[in-house]
């Protein structure tokens, strides 16, 4: 970024950004396979390395290709550090002066609402907001510990091929896996992002702004309830960078659906990369298939909404029911590779 600003060249930024993206992807591979001094004996550390490498690569692509050059010329090192270390409410623009300077008198209800639900509340100061985010992460860590402690190893190792599909037991076990993912991701993201937001003294966005297990549709689940941090990056790459790079800028429903499926495709790549690098094995393409199926689900749902001119296809309960069925019917594609690598049992050994 500094070199591009120095030479006042957007092309320099594009070339160097692409080079940095490739280098960032190679770092976890190098550490795992080529370094004699660093041994990745712990699978959890290896997972975090692969995740961080791919996420940083996506962040570099977002920074390089989704902003106008007039804005990129003004970006500072501090803004980049903030963007790469947390989930700021205002990324490459300053926080509104009124938000930082106004007299804030939050009520007890403001604190409880933000702590439990995670809905953005500008009545809270940046330090209070981030303190509550850290508390939420610690609470999710306790919930994960309790859940793993009372779950037998046999349940955490139940592969779909050894279970009766669409039975109540199978459904409850895969619902349990869903809660494990939710608590584990929430624990890590909330503690890390909350601490960094507190350090920078800025307002940050909630990664789970809506409770993920009460969706009104598949699009609602992926766009508003599950890991908004990843969704935001992929959305900018798919809907801003991709049209810019391909020259296909004409707005149409077809372009929107293709961009959406591309975002799910990149998410599939992220999970395949993470799993392959960390576990020394391939998932068999299950992660890619999982995300492509859900990309098509979202495309069909949005197409029907456009044809029927309705913001919501079905009543809330019906939308929740078919979303849960869609998630459950494809959950084995997402969970089975982790079960095959004994990841849930390993998590219980460390945290249960």
């Amino acid at each position: 970024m500094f070199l591009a600003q120095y030479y006042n060249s957007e092309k320099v930024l594009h070339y160097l950004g692409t080079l940095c993206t490739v280098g960032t992807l190679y770092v976890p591979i190098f550490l795992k396979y080529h370094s004699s001094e660093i041994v990745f004996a712990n699978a959890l550390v290896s997972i975090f390395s692969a995740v961080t490498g791919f996420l940083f690569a996506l962040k570099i692509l977002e920074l390089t290709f989704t902003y106008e050059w007039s804005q990129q010329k003004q970006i500072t090192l501090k803004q980049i550090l903030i963007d790469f270390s947390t989930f700021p409410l205002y990324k490459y623009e300053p926080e509104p002066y009124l938000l930082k300077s106004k007299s804030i008198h939050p009520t007890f209800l403001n604190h409880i609402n933000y702590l439990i639900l995670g809905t953005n509340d500008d009545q809270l100061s940046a330090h209070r907001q981030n303190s509550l985010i850290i508390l939420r992460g610690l609470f999710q860590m306790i919930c994960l510990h309790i859940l793993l402690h009372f779950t037998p190893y046999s349940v955490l190792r139940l592969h779909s091929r050894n279970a009766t599909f669409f039975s109540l037991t199978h459904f409850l076990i895969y619902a349990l896996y869903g809660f494990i993912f939710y608590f584990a991701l929430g624990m890590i993201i909330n503690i890390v992002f909350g601490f960094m937001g507190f350090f920078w003294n800025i307002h940050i966005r909630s990664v789970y702004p809506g409770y993920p297990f009460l969706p009104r549709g598949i699009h609602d689940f992926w766009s508003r309830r599950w890991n908004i941090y990843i969704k935001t990056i992929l959305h900018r790459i798919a809907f801003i960078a991709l049209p810019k790079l391909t020259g296909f800028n004409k707005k149409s429903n077809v372009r929107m659906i293709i961009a959406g499926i591309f975002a799910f495709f990149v998410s599939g790549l992220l999970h395949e990369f993470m799993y392959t690098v960390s576990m020394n094995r391939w998932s068999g393409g299950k992660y890619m298939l999982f995300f492509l199926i859900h990309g098509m689900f979202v495309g069909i749902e949005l197409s029907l909404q456009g044809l029927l001119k309705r913001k919501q296809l079905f009543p809330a309960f019906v939308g929740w029911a078919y979303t849960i069925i869609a998630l459950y019917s494809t959950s084995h594609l997402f969970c089975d590779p982790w079960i095959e690598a004994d990841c849930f049992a390993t998590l219980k050994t460390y945290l249960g």
Side-chain angles (χ1 to χ4, degrees):
M1 180 63 73
F2 172 76
L3 287 172
Q5 290 172 347
Y6 180 81
Y7 289 106
N8 193 28
S9 172
E10 186 178 18
K11 284 187 176 181
V12 169
L13 179 61
H14 288 173
Y15 291 140
L16 293 180
T18 303
L19 182 64
C20 287
T21 299
V22 175
T24 305
L25 288 173
Y26 182 67
V27 166
I29 299 174
F30 174 83
L31 289 174
K32 187 170 181 65
Y33 297 112
H34 300 290
S35 177
S36 59
E37 299 177 0
I38 302 175
V39 180
F40 277 66
N42 189 323
L44 296 177
V45 175
S46 184
I47 290 172
F48 294 144
S49 174
V51 171
T52 305
F54 203 101
L55 284 181
F56 274 16
L58 292 178
K59 293 294 294 181
I60 293 170
L61 288 176
E62 178 196 8
L63 177 61
T64 304
F65 293 104
T66 69
Y67 294 94
E68 296 297 329
W69 175 239
S70 58
Q71 187 176 6
Q72 291 168 328
K73 288 192 294 185
Q74 308 299 322
I75 291 176
T76 64
L77 175 62
K78 181 180 178 180
Q79 288 176 315
I80 295 175
L81 291 175
I82 289 174
D83 185 28
F84 275 63
S85 62
T86 186
F87 193 22
L89 187 59
Y90 300 94
K91 297 178 71 168
Y92 292 113
E93 61 273 5
E95 282 197 30
Y97 178 75
L98 291 175
L99 186 62
K100 300 194 91 174
S101 64
K102 72 178 183 179
S103 178
I104 299 176
H105 301 286
T107 65
F108 177 75
L109 185 61
N110 290 123
H111 289 82
I112 294 299
N113 185 55
Y114 191 80
L115 178 63
I116 297 175
L117 299 179
T119 52
N120 291 322
D121 192 336
D122 61 5
Q123 293 298 312
L124 298 172
S125 67
H127 276 151
R128 287 191 182 188
Q129 183 201 62
N130 288 293
S131 297
L132 290 173
I133 289 175
I134 294 171
L135 282 176
R136 192 191 311 147
L138 293 173
F139 175 74
Q140 289 170 324
M141 181 177 68
I142 293 171
C143 290
L144 180 64
H145 169 76
I146 294 171
L147 195 63
L148 291 171
H149 180 76
F150 289 101
T151 303
Y153 278 103
S154 58
V155 172
L156 297 175
R157 290 171 171 148
L158 185 63
H159 198 279
S160 62
R161 63 171 174 263
N162 300 321
T164 304
F165 205 54
F166 280 103
S167 67
L168 179 60
T169 302
H170 189 261
F171 173 81
L172 292 175
I173 289 175
Y174 274 77
L176 172 69
Y177 295 159
F179 277 99
I180 290 174
F181 280 120
Y182 172 62
F183 288 137
L185 285 172
M187 170 189 72
I188 296 165
I189 292 172
N190 284 322
I191 291 176
V192 173
F193 285 1
F195 176 79
M196 295 309 300
F198 189 94
F199 174 79
W200 295 114
N201 190 24
I202 59 169
H203 287 83
I204 69 173
R205 297 179 62 186
S206 176
V207 177
Y208 294 100
Y211 190 60
F213 300 104
L214 295 175
R216 297 182 178 181
I218 299 175
H219 179 251
D220 178 57
F221 175 82
W222 289 112
S223 294
R224 302 182 185 94
R225 296 178 182 274
W226 188 261
N227 203 340
I228 304 303
Y229 177 69
I230 298 293
K231 175 259 175 182
T232 303
I233 301 173
L234 295 177
H235 187 274
R236 290 189 63 85
I237 291 175
F239 289 89
I240 299 177
L242 186 63
K244 184 186 292 187
L245 293 172
T246 59
F248 187 45
N249 294 311
K250 185 179 179 181
K251 289 187 177 181
S252 66
N253 291 334
V254 174
R255 199 206 85 175
M256 297 290 285
I257 292 173
I258 291 174
I261 293 177
F262 177 77
F264 279 93
F265 171 76
V266 177
S267 185
L269 284 179
L270 164 62
H271 289 80
E272 292 286 0
F273 179 84
M274 174 184 65
Y275 186 80
T276 302
V277 172
S278 60
M279 299 299 170
N280 289 328
R281 57 196 298 173
W282 183 44
S283 73
K286 291 178 181 177
Y287 290 122
M288 183 60 72
L289 183 59
F290 173 84
F291 284 102
L292 287 179
I293 288 173
H294 280 270
M296 288 188 290
F297 282 164
V298 171
I300 292 170
E301 186 178 281
L302 292 178
S303 297
L304 290 175
Q305 287 178 353
L307 288 173
L308 300 176
K309 296 182 179 180
R310 299 174 61 179
K311 289 186 176 180
Q312 190 171 325
L313 285 176
F314 304 105
F317 176 77
V318 177
W320 171 82
Y322 86 74
T323 303
I324 294 299
I325 291 172
L327 289 168
Y328 168 63
S329 62
T330 55
S331 60
H332 64 285
L333 294 171
F334 192 90
C335 295
D336 281 357
W338 295 114
I339 296 170
E340 292 164 7
D342 215 24
C343 285
F344 291 128
T346 302
L347 200 61
K348 175 179 172 67
T349 301
Y350 281 96
L351 297 177

